[in-house]
Amino acid sequence: MAKNKNKGGEMSFLDHLEELRWLLVRSSIAILIGACVAFAFSGYIFDNIIFAPKKSDFITYRIFCDLANKYDLDKSFCVTEIPFSIQSRTMDGQFSTDIWTSVTAGLILAFPFILWEFWKFIRPALYDNEKKSAVSFIISTSFLFFLGVLFGYYLIMPLSINFLGNYRISDVVENNIDIDSYLSLIKTTVLSCGLVFELPIVIYFLAKLGLVTAGFLREYRRYAFVIILILAAVVTPPDVISQMTVTIPLVILYEASILIAARMNKTPKKTA
């Protein structure tokens, strides 16, 4: 149990709630500050980051096109344009989009600080040697999150946009995409990948609590690989290189999680 600094005793349930409340307040302020910074540069963010994957010269398309030409593979990325337009159909649509996009960017920017606040909240319940690993925890967790965000932005998102933007059931139907739908795809993809890349950290804590073992992860490895392959097949064109580009990082994450679980299972449990 955490100690009450003022009374020297254990904190009550209400004291824990108070600490949690201030954690949420400080985290919200950090997100708000990040959102204000993002709002100040919203023009650059929309033109050069959010709408960049819609342009045919986006770096991912160019790399895949070069690989397709070199190895005589699918040429779906070698296009002059992605045939859909983005529209706003409500009066406050663009203003609301600007605000909520800034909030999302603020959340991403404030992620390391939120982690630090979370660490301070759980620190009193940890052993002394575990408290010393605060810096490594913040760095590793933040690194994996931002790596996942980049993975989603540069791989999953352009693959999805290229596939969905070119998908047609008939030439009669035009793709005029609402801006909310476009941004929803981006936010979901980027944040989901950021969270998925936290898998090794999640496994670390689950293994520490005895809820997951390396044997369990090995037993269900084949099912995990099937799910990963299905995901890669859905978001990529039908060629081996693009599918493996998505599959390999996710497989590495899963294998890393097995190694972490195995190490934690071997670590002798300490008594309080």
Side-chain angles (χ1 to χ4, degrees):
M1 295 287 289
K3 301 292 183 180
N4 190 318
K5 294 181 180 179
N6 295 325
K7 300 179 180 180
E10 293 185 350
M11 293 177 64
S12 67
F13 177 72
L14 292 178
D15 290 330
H16 282 294
L17 288 181
E18 180 69 11
E19 287 292 325
L20 179 60
R21 183 176 75 88
W22 280 107
L23 182 155
L24 296 176
V25 169
R26 289 190 294 267
S27 298
S28 299
I29 292 175
I31 294 173
L32 180 60
I33 292 173
C36 291
V37 173
F39 186 80
F41 296 94
S42 61
Y44 177 88
I45 291 174
F46 277 99
D47 292 336
N48 297 282
I49 298 178
I50 293 178
F51 294 137
K54 186 186 178 303
K55 302 174 184 177
S56 59
D57 62 348
F58 188 62
I59 184 172
T60 303
Y61 303 142
R62 288 189 279 113
I63 291 175
F64 275 94
C65 182
D66 291 341
L67 291 174
N69 289 325
K70 183 176 181 179
Y71 296 103
D72 194 24
L73 299 173
D74 183 79
K75 303 295 193 300
S76 60
F77 285 98
C78 301
V79 294
T80 57
E81 66 174 341
I82 300 178
F84 71 87
S85 59
I86 301 175
Q87 60 182 358
S88 176
R89 297 180 300 155
T90 58
M91 183 65 70
D92 65 338
Q94 296 197 48
F95 177 74
S96 297
T97 296
D98 202 358
I99 294 296
W100 287 110
T101 300
S102 298
V103 171
T104 303
L107 173 62
I108 295 174
L109 292 174
F111 186 77
F113 178 81
I114 296 173
L115 281 178
W116 174 249
E117 287 293 323
F118 173 74
W119 179 268
K120 289 196 300 181
F121 181 72
I122 66 172
R123 183 174 55 187
L126 301 177
Y127 296 106
D128 290 337
N129 64 318
E130 293 172 331
K131 294 177 182 179
K132 296 177 182 178
S133 60
V135 175
S136 59
F137 169 77
I138 301 298
I139 292 176
S140 59
T141 306
S142 299
F143 173 77
L144 287 173
F145 177 76
F146 289 123
L147 186 63
V149 168
L150 293 175
F151 177 78
Y153 178 76
Y154 283 106
L155 283 177
I156 302 297
M157 195 172 69
L159 293 172
S160 300
I161 290 175
N162 183 68
F163 171 75
L164 296 174
N166 284 284
Y167 189 88
R168 288 179 177 272
I169 56 175
S170 171
D171 291 337
V172 175
V173 183
E174 295 183 356
N175 283 333
N176 297 314
I177 311 301
D178 191 81
I179 190 170
D180 288 337
S181 176
Y182 179 83
L183 288 176
S184 177
L185 175 64
I186 294 177
K187 292 176 183 178
T188 302
T189 301
V190 169
L191 294 178
S192 296
C193 287
L195 295 177
V196 167
F197 270 60
E198 298 294 340
L199 179 63
I201 304 297
V202 174
I203 294 299
Y204 170 83
F205 284 104
L206 292 178
K208 190 174 183 62
L209 294 172
L211 300 177
V212 170
T213 64
F216 174 83
L217 295 176
R218 292 191 184 100
E219 180 181 355
Y220 289 93
R221 176 191 275 138
R222 69 189 70 176
Y223 302 108
F225 286 0
V226 169
I227 294 174
I228 291 173
L229 288 171
I230 292 174
L231 173 64
V234 169
V235 301
T236 61
D239 67 75
V240 175
I241 290 181
S242 57
Q243 290 178 5
M244 288 301 100
T245 302
V246 173
T247 300
I248 290 175
L250 297 179
V251 170
I252 291 175
L253 276 177
Y254 193 84
E255 292 297 326
S257 299
I258 294 178
L259 295 177
I260 291 172
R263 181 175 180 181
M264 293 306 302
N265 295 152
K266 292 180 181 178
T267 302
K269 295 185 180 296
K270 300 179 179 180
T271 57

